[in-house]
């Protein structure tokens, strides 16, 4: 963000000024995870710009045009992924590893930015005695019994003195929303012996594998392994080497108090920064041409995945409702009947495709390909599945 003394952008992690702009994206919805109740509401949502900027000192990627005061999170924010068996598999593996590694059975775990508390519920089912969540966008839950434990959610932000007896703190998909990630890590780790589990989107998926549909205004940051390690080191925390998960889309680490060295970005990442502007433009042109060709052929298109990737894809390509790509599909029942922010397509459950079967389904997240193929087979539909995210060259 800009240095208030000079108005010069500075890296959100290391404060460095050796920055390069990767892309300038204009008029994207401020909140792609707040489904709209009508097409008119969807087309009128507030919008903002992304000045995607990379730091060559620590490898961090961030939105230099971000305005935090334009965003707010409440109960309308809907980014739950655990309606998918593939995502639940990832979540269950994480729970199993953490419970065993930190002997969490019978103990207390805190989840910061807990959302609908699905992760905490799984921890309690795995033997945690008390799962405690903090999320200013959710209502309070007091001591709800879950398996052998209890679940408590505080509808406010986590504070330094909260739950000193916790054996583990987790912050999953929280750090990328914060303009001061190092300050947050200092606050979380201050005076604690508990371990910290962090999970964020992996910035390499965007800059190296062109997962450009993950660029959303809500995410001021994209962490890469060196920038995540540097953030922890600057906060006085020693993290395990960041590891990739979920097909390269997530990055995770576990940290405890202690000195650690910052990690410099390698040449491969710096080369990806240099090549990104050209590759980003080519990606947009390629997928725009792909959709236009399919529509000219008279084929019926549907988009599967009405979350961040789907919303960004439709908005970046300017594909509004009525363009020919008019159907979005999502397995989250809370999105059924809502509309895509910025472009207005109505979101339908998978079963609704039977009424007007598509010829081509654009699969926004390739991790769900097998799951989607099974659903279409169950529905008796034979649409072609085209993976989109992380695929540089679309099908001809």
């Amino acid at each position: 963000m800009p240095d208030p003394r000079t108005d010069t952008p500075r890296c959100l992690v290391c404060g460095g000024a050796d920055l390069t702009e990767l892309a300038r994206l204009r008029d994207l919805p401020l909140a792609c995870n707040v489904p709209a109740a009508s097409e008119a509401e969807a087309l009128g949502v507030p919008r903002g710009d992304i000045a995607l900027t990379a730091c060559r000192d620590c490898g961090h990627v961030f939105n230099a045009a971000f305005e935090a005061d334009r965003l707010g999170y409440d109960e309308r924010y809907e980014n739950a992924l655990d309606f998918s068996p593939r995502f639940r598999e990832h979540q269950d593996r994480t729970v199993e590893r953490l419970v065993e590694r930190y002997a969490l059975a019978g103990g207390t775990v805190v989840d910061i930015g807990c959302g609908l508390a699905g992760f905490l519920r799984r921890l309690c089912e795995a033997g945690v005695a008390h799962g405690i969540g903090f999320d200013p966008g959710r209502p309070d839950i007091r001591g709800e019994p879950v398996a052998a434990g209890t679940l408590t959610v505080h509808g406010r932000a986590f504070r330094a003195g909260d739950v000193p007896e916790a054996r583990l703190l987790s912050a999953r998909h929280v750090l990328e929303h914060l303009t001061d990630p190092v300050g947050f890590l200092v606050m979380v780790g201050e005076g604690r012996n508990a371990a910290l589990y962090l999970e964020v989107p992996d910035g390499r998926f965007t800059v190296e594998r062109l997962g450009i549909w993950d660029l959303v205004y809500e995410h001021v940051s994209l962490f890469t392994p060196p920038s995540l390690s540097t953030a922890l080191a600057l906060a006085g925390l020693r993290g395990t080497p960041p590891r990739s998960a979920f097909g390269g889309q997530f990055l995770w680490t576990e940290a405890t108090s202690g000195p650690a060295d910052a990690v410099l970005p390698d040449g491969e990442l710096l080369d990806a920064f240099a090549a990104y502007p050209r590759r980003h433009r080519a990606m947009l042109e390629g997928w725009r041409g792909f959709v236009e060709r399919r529509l000219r052929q008279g084929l019926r298109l549907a988009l599967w995945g009405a979350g961040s990737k789907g919303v960004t894809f439709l908005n970046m390509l300017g594909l509004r409702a009525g363009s020919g790509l008019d159907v979005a599909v999502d397995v989250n029942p809370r999105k059924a009947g809502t509309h895509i922010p910025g472009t207005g397509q109505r979101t339908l459950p998978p079963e609704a495709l039977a009424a007007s079967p598509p010829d081509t389904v654009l699969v926004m997240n390739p991790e769900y390909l097998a799951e989607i193929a099974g659903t279409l087979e169950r529905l008796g539909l034979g649409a072609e599945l085209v993976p989109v995210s992380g695929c540089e060259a679309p099908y001809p």
Side-chain angles (χ1 to χ4, degrees):
M1 306 305 288
D3 184 325
R5 297 166 297 181
T6 64
D7 203 35
T8 301
R10 293 280 182 175
C11 175
L12 297 185
V13 168
C14 72
D18 187 6
L19 308 177
T20 181
E21 186 168 293
L22 305 181
R24 177 76 64 153
L25 313 174
R26 301 192 183 278
D27 295 326
L28 293 180
L30 291 184
C32 69
N33 285 308
V34 178
S38 67
E39 182 177 335
E41 180 185 323
L43 297 178
V45 296
R47 299 170 182 266
D49 296 343
I50 295 177
L52 193 67
T53 303
C55 174
R56 285 185 285 249
D57 289 332
C58 73
H60 195 56
V61 180
F62 64 100
N63 177 12
F66 185 76
E67 299 176 83
D69 58 0
R70 298 193 66 196
L71 273 177
Y73 297 95
D74 57 30
E75 293 181 46
R76 298 175 301 159
Y77 198 79
E78 182 53 70
N79 64 343
L81 301 176
D82 47 8
F83 293 99
S84 158
R86 172 67 185 94
F87 182 79
R88 290 199 301 272
E89 176 189 2
H90 160 72
Q91 183 170 262
D92 288 347
R93 286 180 178 176
T94 301
V95 166
E96 181 180 352
R97 184 184 72 249
L98 292 174
V99 168
E100 180 177 352
R101 179 175 173 83
Y102 295 105
L104 299 181
T108 296
V109 173
V110 169
D111 192 25
I112 302 169
C114 66
L116 294 172
F119 186 65
L120 280 174
R121 291 179 188 278
R122 287 296 298 116
L123 283 165
C124 289
E125 290 166 0
V128 167
H130 197 180
I132 303 176
F134 293 85
D135 196 316
R138 300 300 176 190
D140 289 346
I141 298 174
R142 299 294 182 187
E144 176 183 313
V146 179
T150 59
L151 174 68
T152 298
V153 173
H154 300 280
R156 61 170 175 83
F158 178 82
R159 296 192 288 255
D162 286 329
V163 199
E165 74 278 11
R167 295 184 189 176
L168 177 78
L169 287 81
S170 67
R172 300 160 47 257
H173 300 272
V174 170
L175 213 58
E176 66 269 22
H177 294 259
L178 306 178
T179 56
D180 183 13
V182 174
F184 170 81
L185 291 171
V186 169
M187 183 269 292
V188 169
E190 197 168 22
R192 293 180 181 276
N193 294 320
L196 171 65
Y197 175 71
L198 293 173
E199 186 177 288
V200 294
D202 191 339
R204 293 173 304 181
F205 188 78
T206 297
V207 298
E208 294 178 0
R209 293 175 56 183
L210 284 186
I212 70 173
W213 322 117
D214 288 306
L215 297 172
V216 297
Y217 194 87
E218 294 106 307
H219 292 178
V220 62
S221 285
L222 284 173
F223 286 86
T224 65
S227 73
L228 184 56
S229 294
T230 296
L232 287 166
L234 291 172
L237 299 170
R238 182 191 296 114
T240 59
R243 297 178 61 179
S244 189
F246 207 64
Q249 297 177 41
F250 299 162
L251 194 65
W252 64 268
T253 183
E254 298 164 17
T256 54
S257 296
D261 294 326
V263 178
L264 297 176
D266 58 25
E268 185 176 347
L269 183 59
L270 295 178
D271 288 345
F273 290 163
Y276 185 84
R278 172 187 56 80
R279 296 178 69 212
H280 181 103
R281 290 191 296 269
M283 182 80 156
L284 289 176
E285 291 168 5
W287 281 106
R288 189 176 288 115
F290 172 83
V291 172
E292 289 172 354
R293 287 192 299 274
R294 291 299 173 100
L295 292 176
R296 282 199 304 269
Q297 294 167 8
L299 298 176
R300 295 185 299 274
L301 270 63
L303 177 145
W304 196 300
S308 300
K309 291 178 174 65
V311 173
T312 300
F313 179 86
L314 293 169
N315 277 275
M316 279 193 187
L317 299 187
L319 296 168
R320 289 192 170 191
S323 66
L325 206 175
D326 300 324
V327 175
V329 181
D330 204 281
V331 297
N332 184 340
R334 292 192 287 267
K335 291 185 178 180
T338 65
H339 294 258
I340 297 289
T343 57
Q345 285 85 353
R346 191 162 182 255
T347 300
L348 303 174
E351 292 73 20
L353 290 178
S356 181
D359 301 297
T360 300
V361 174
L362 301 178
V363 178
M364 292 312 306
N365 193 328
E367 284 298 296
Y368 302 132
L369 265 173
E371 187 175 304
I372 293 168
T375 299
L376 292 179
E377 182 179 2
R378 175 174 56 82
L379 294 173
L381 303 178
E384 176 191 20
L385 298 182
V386 178
V388 177
S389 188
C391 303
E392 184 164 1
Y395 289 12

